[in-house]
Amino acid sequence: MPEKHAELGGSSADRWIRCPGSVALSRSYGPPTENEYMRRGTHAHKLLELLVRHHIGENVGRGMQRRTAYSFNGSTLVEGYAPLNEEDCTAVQAAFDWFLEQWRNAPHSTVWVEHFGLLNDRKPDAGGTADLVLYDPISRTLMVVDYKHGVGHFVSADTYQLRLYAACVLFGPERVEYPVERIVVVIIQPRSPVGEPIRKQVYTPAQLIDFADMAEEAQEATTRPDAPIIPGEIQCQYCPAILSCPAVQGVVTAAAQDTETAINAADGRELAQRLAMVPVMQLWCGVVGSRAYQLATAGAKIPGYKLIPKRASRFWHDPAKAQDWLLAHDVPALVQTLVSVAQAEEHIPSDLKKEFLGLVDKESSGLKLVPDDAPGVEVSPIALAASDFSSSVPLDFDSEWE
């Protein structure tokens, strides 16, 4: 994968195009710290790149004989990264299968892998790397593809990121020199629990010219001392400067000073203005809560709050033994799999309850930060980390804030 990066990149395009002032605010924060999820995504991208390059005849080294993602299960393609697992390989294979289908349908297509492009020659540079770009000369169709390995965040195909990549391919300094009548942008997100795993959006060249003009206006605006700061749900979602942003601070302050009388007297337009800022306040509250949770799980005391175990989930510590015991006492034990502890408990008479509970383990799924007067016994994360119980109560820094 290439090491080229644009300061105004594709992954942040939804932010800097909508809020040019966020660029200057965010510079002091630097790039995000790489975590295991980012490394896993990078590893999956590397596998997809390797498979496509090999298929189109590029020399990828490694004595490449394996032609499917499945054959890389347990392999490491990036030094220091955890080996690819079955879920990773299955997801990448879904993306590779889609590519193979496009190749079969348009075998004369030109393919670019990990294509880096810029919108223009201006500074700060705006652009990024598309995972795949395909051009079919018969239909004069350009396809710009972005693979997403993540699970938690659903990405629509109608995103500024893909439109920026497409605009760079069409109009940038290294643009394709082919006639294009139709542009299809594609998001491939096989592990997403919602929506279709492959999503497409079709544009005309004229529509992308309009987008490119808008992006260039935002690009120029980022250089001005008075670059506009425009808070909103999309642009604030992943902005590292959300806590220091004066516009967001203004939104939070205005909400804190709002009154019941003013809200009740507001007309539809005024309520709409308030409603538009609700997601911004929720994002701000989430960041504040996450920071407090991070400090609390590191051992700091947040005055007025405590850490307690989340609600515990029960499970059979020996499913085979539990099944035999339930059947011996005429308790329905099997549906297609062993019934849950809660389902079985409904049929347990009181005289067997103690014996029944001997088959059950109980563990919390993590910790949550709640007000001091909330139900629950306070726990110490430091003592927790030193106990055997710590293995069953993960300290998820991005987790619960209530």
Side-chain angles (χ1 to χ4, degrees), residues 219-295:
Q219 178 189 20
E220 189 277 328
T222 67
T223 65
R224 301 200 301 262
D226 61 343
I229 302 173
I230 307 169
E233 180 178 8
I234 295 175
Q235 55 268 43
C236 290
Q237 185 170 12
Y238 296 111
C239 182
I242 188 170
L243 293 182
S244 61
C245 175
V248 172
Q249 291 172 355
V251 169
V252 175
T253 300
Q257 295 174 346
D258 216 348
T259 64
E260 180 181 5
T261 300
I263 292 173
N264 288 337
D267 59 21
R269 180 185 60 81
E270 293 168 333
L271 285 174
Q273 291 174 341
R274 287 174 167 87
L275 286 173
M277 292 298 104
V278 168
V280 175
M281 290 185 287
Q282 290 173 330
L283 290 167
W284 181 88
C285 290
V287 173
V288 172
S290 294
R291 176 58 178 157
Y293 182 82
Q294 182 181 19
L295 287 176

Side-chain angles (χ1 to χ4, degrees), residues 316-334 337-339 344 348 352 355-356 359:
W316 303 114
H317 57 74
D318 187 337
K321 183 178 179 180
Q323 177 182 329
D324 292 343
W325 187 90
L326 293 170
L327 292 175
H329 293 87
D330 298 321
V331 177
L334 296 173
T337 59
L338 181 63
V339 296
I348 303 299
L352 294 177
E355 188 177 352
F356 164 78
L359 302 169

Side-chain angles (χ1 to χ4, degrees), residues 26-335:
S26 302
R27 281 195 179 111
S28 62
Y29 291 88
T33 302
E34 187 181 50
N35 57 39
E36 62 176 297
Y37 303 106
M38 296 167 66
R39 288 192 292 271
R40 188 176 179 186
T42 299
H43 212 174
H45 276 81
K46 184 64 179 177
L47 176 56
L48 179 60
E49 176 188 355
L50 186 70
L51 291 168
V52 175
R53 288 191 187 280
H54 178 257
H55 185 81
I56 63 177
E58 293 188 17
N59 181 10
V60 295
R62 301 175 178 273
M64 175 82 171
Q65 299 297 322
R66 296 175 285 184
R67 298 177 181 272
T68 69
Y70 303 119
S71 58
F72 286 86
N73 186 16
S75 300
T76 300
L77 303 178
V78 182
E79 185 177 356
Y81 281 25
L84 295 158
N85 61 32
E86 183 177 358
E87 185 181 11
D88 297 327
C89 295
T90 300
V92 172
Q93 186 63 42
F96 187 48
D97 286 343
W98 176 88
F99 164 75
L100 292 176
E101 182 181 0
Q102 310 312 308
W103 185 271
R104 285 191 295 268
N105 292 339
H108 301 294
S109 293
T110 301
V111 179
W112 296 266
V113 185
E114 294 293 325
H115 182 276
F116 179 81
L118 294 174
L119 187 61
N120 49 49
D121 292 322
R122 305 172 192 167
K123 295 293 183 181
D125 46 8
T129 302
D131 295 324
L132 294 173
V133 177
L134 300 87
Y135 175 73
D136 176 12
I138 306 301
S139 63
R140 295 187 173 184
T141 296
L142 183 75
M143 302 187 80
V144 179
V145 184
D146 192 50
Y147 173 77
K148 302 289 187 185
H149 197 61
V151 176
H153 179 59
F154 174 88
V155 181
S156 168
D158 186 23
T159 174
Y160 282 4
Q161 179 180 12
L162 277 176
R163 276 185 268 181
L164 179 64
Y165 292 163
C168 292
V169 174
L170 280 174
F171 314 124
E174 299 180 13
R175 58 186 171 273
V176 298
E177 299 294 343
Y178 300 115
V180 176
E181 297 179 0
R182 180 172 174 262
I183 303 97
V184 181
V185 299
V186 184
I187 288 284
I188 303 179
Q189 192 176 11
R191 299 173 64 232
S192 173
V194 297
E196 294 296 323
I198 299 174
R199 304 179 283 277
K200 301 177 182 179
Q201 185 75 28
V202 180
Y203 299 105
T204 64
Q207 289 174 313
L208 283 181
I209 289 173
D210 291 341
F211 173 80
D213 289 343
M214 178 178 67
E216 288 187 334
E217 288 177 8
Q219 178 189 20
E220 189 277 328
T222 67
T223 65
R224 301 200 301 262
D226 61 343
I229 302 173
I230 307 169
E233 180 178 8
I234 295 175
Q235 55 268 43
C236 290
Q237 185 170 12
Y238 296 111
C239 182
I242 188 170
L243 293 182
S244 61
C245 175
V248 172
Q249 291 172 355
V251 169
V252 175
T253 300
Q257 295 174 346
D258 216 348
T259 64
E260 180 181 5
T261 300
I263 292 173
N264 288 337
D267 59 21
R269 180 185 60 81
E270 293 168 333
L271 285 174
Q273 291 174 341
R274 287 174 167 87
L275 286 173
M277 292 298 104
V278 168
V280 175
M281 290 185 287
Q282 290 173 330
L283 290 167
W284 181 88
C285 290
V287 173
V288 172
S290 294
R291 176 58 178 157
Y293 182 82
Q294 182 181 19
L295 287 176
T297 52
K301 175 62 180 174
I302 307 297
Y305 292 86
K306 63 185 179 183
L307 285 170
I308 61 172
K310 294 181 185 178
R311 180 178 178 179
S313 300
R314 299 183 297 172
F315 58 94
W316 303 114
H317 57 74
D318 187 337
K321 183 178 179 180
Q323 177 182 329
D324 292 343
W325 187 90
L326 293 170
L327 292 175
H329 293 87
D330 298 321
V331 177
L334 296 173
V335 184

